[in-house]
Amino acid sequence: MEDRNGGSDVSSSIDMWQSTNVDISIDQSINRELEKVDLSDDVRRGEMKVENFENGGDGNNNNDNNINKVGDGEGPSGKIKKIIFSIKMYIIQYFKKWLGTGKDKRPPIPDLEEIGWTWLASFIGILVLALIHYREAIDAQMQVLIGSFAASAVIIFGVPKSPLAQPRNLILGHFLSAIVGSVIRVALVYTKANFEVACALAVSLSITIMQFTNSLHPPGGATALICVMGVEQRWRGFYFIFVPITSGAFIMLLTALIVNNFARKRSYPLYWWLFKNHINLSPVFHKNSNSGSLLNQILSSTIKQNRPPSVMISTLLFQPQLTNNAP
């Protein structure tokens, strides 16, 4: 009997030890799986209720604030703290931007040659407009020289490689800004609606339209403002679009084409209207030919490809080289 009782005690203890190990292993596996899972707010709330019930609470109404702390940080007060913290961080980051990123380096000072060509080109450009303005335009009660052309001179003569200095931006930027300024002048100034709003609206709208048309030219904003603030013009101010704006812009462009390209380190423009690649025609004559004379090549190519003879002549006499000089 004692042996049987002793054997049963041993077997029961072994069973209990095995079941305990199984429970421990199950709990460990469950804990490992739970660590991999991000418990939702509902599960956290349930755990808080069970813990509260085990501690003597009713599991529902006691310490609701603690439940809110788990799901919402700190309850209503926690949300307010988060909002205040977000505003504080935004203000700090905002004023940090005033200090600069520190990533971009200041461009180097141009050499004396570049500064000299900038001076000469800008001098000639404004001189041409001033001569036309004071020698011819004033007698005809017209205006050719305005302040925004001085700003254009800084860009097209000072930084001719800038995208803002290219012909598309120079011409279209001034032209569209003049239209905006003239329309705002008729709509708000002549009707005596609000002169202050007219000034602000002319500049802001001109910038927006230049961005939409990919023709941003900073002096265009000044052009729109001058249209609103300027003296009375013909055609209810719409004459201002053509004289002095468009005509003056073309004079500035012609001056930039002539003077900028005299400089050894300059090539203006980088592109004209739509293309960011331009063709450098290198006069390389094809002396060795397997098709006979030059005239026969032109005639045969023209007949086969149905292309104008002028195009074929330029192809034969010149070797086009595409260069990527896009800004």
Side-chain angles (χ1 to χ4, degrees):
M1 293 295 292
E2 293 177 358
D3 294 336
R4 291 179 181 178
N5 292 332
S8 61
D9 293 337
V10 171
S11 61
S12 61
S13 61
I14 292 173
D15 293 337
M16 291 177 61
W17 178 77
Q18 290 178 348
S19 61
T20 303
N21 288 338
V22 171
D23 294 338
I24 292 173
S25 62
I26 292 174
D27 291 339
Q28 290 177 349
S29 62
I30 292 174
N31 291 332
R32 283 196 298 267
E33 294 298 327
L34 289 176
E35 288 176 356
K36 298 179 181 178
V37 179
D38 185 14
L39 297 178
S40 62
D41 291 342
D42 294 332
V43 175
R44 292 192 181 102
R45 289 174 183 270
E47 290 178 349
M48 291 294 297
K49 290 181 180 181
V50 171
E51 183 179 358
N52 186 30
F53 180 79
E54 292 177 350
N55 292 331
D58 57 1
N60 292 319
N61 298 324
N62 193 16
N63 290 332
D64 286 338
N65 292 331
N66 293 333
I67 299 174
N68 290 331
K69 288 181 181 180
V70 176
D72 299 328
E74 289 293 338
S77 61
K79 292 182 179 179
I80 296 175
K81 289 181 180 179
K82 287 182 179 180
I83 294 173
I84 295 174
F85 178 76
S86 300
I87 295 173
K88 179 181 178 181
M89 293 303 299
Y90 177 81
I91 293 174
I92 293 174
Q93 294 297 326
Y94 172 78
F95 283 106
K96 279 185 178 180
K97 294 179 181 179
W98 288 26
L99 303 176
T101 59
K103 298 179 181 180
D104 299 327
K105 295 181 180 180
R106 185 186 66 182
I109 298 175
D111 54 23
L112 293 179
E113 180 183 356
E114 188 71 13
I115 294 174
W117 279 110
T118 299
W119 175 85
L120 180 62
S122 58
F123 176 82
I124 294 175
I126 299 300
L127 178 63
V128 171
L129 289 176
L131 289 173
I132 298 174
H133 179 80
Y134 290 105
R135 300 291 178 90
E136 301 294 337
I138 289 183
D139 294 338
Q141 296 182 349
M142 295 170 60
Q143 188 179 9
V144 175
L145 183 63
I146 59 173
S148 58
F149 288 152
S152 293
V154 175
I155 297 175
I156 64 175
F157 300 129
V159 281
K161 293 183 180 180
S162 170
L164 307 177
Q166 304 311 307
R168 174 189 179 92
N169 300 70
L170 174 64
I171 302 299
L172 198 58
H174 277 297
F175 180 73
L176 294 176
S177 298
I179 293 176
V180 171
S182 299
V183 171
I184 296 297
R185 182 186 180 96
V186 171
L188 296 180
V189 176
Y190 286 160
T191 58
K192 297 181 180 180
N194 195 317
F195 188 78
E196 296 82 1
V197 174
C199 293
L201 194 60
V203 175
S204 59
L205 278 181
S206 64
I207 296 173
T208 303
I209 291 176
M210 284 189 288
Q211 286 181 322
F212 270 117
T213 57
N214 196 20
S215 60
L216 188 64
H217 188 64
T223 296
L225 186 61
I226 292 172
C227 289
V228 174
M229 298 179 61
V231 298
E232 181 66 28
Q233 294 284 336
R234 304 175 187 177
W235 305 349
R236 299 285 290 179
F238 286 96
Y239 187 78
F240 193 80
I241 299 173
F242 305 99
V243 178
I245 300 302
T246 305
S247 58
F250 273 107
I251 293 173
M252 295 285 289
L253 175 60
L254 181 60
T255 307
L257 289 172
I258 296 173
V259 181
N260 277 338
N261 290 310
F262 275 116
R264 181 173 55 91
K265 299 179 181 179
R266 294 189 178 189
S267 178
Y268 182 84
L270 298 181
Y271 56 90
W272 272 91
W273 200 257
L274 297 175
F275 304 101
K276 291 190 176 182
N277 293 329
H278 72 279
I279 297 177
N280 290 334
L281 295 178
S282 302
V284 180
F285 186 79
H286 298 276
K287 295 181 180 180
N288 299 325
S289 175
N290 297 325
S291 302
S293 65
L294 178 63
L295 181 60
N296 290 333
Q297 292 184 48
I298 296 173
L299 292 177
S300 61
S301 300
T302 303
I303 294 172
K304 290 180 181 179
Q305 301 182 15
N306 193 21
R307 300 178 68 182
S310 60
V311 176
M312 300 311 302
I313 292 173
S314 63
T315 304
L316 292 169
L317 296 179
F318 298 93
Q319 181 181 358
Q321 297 176 346
L322 285 175
T323 58
N324 292 325
N325 287 331

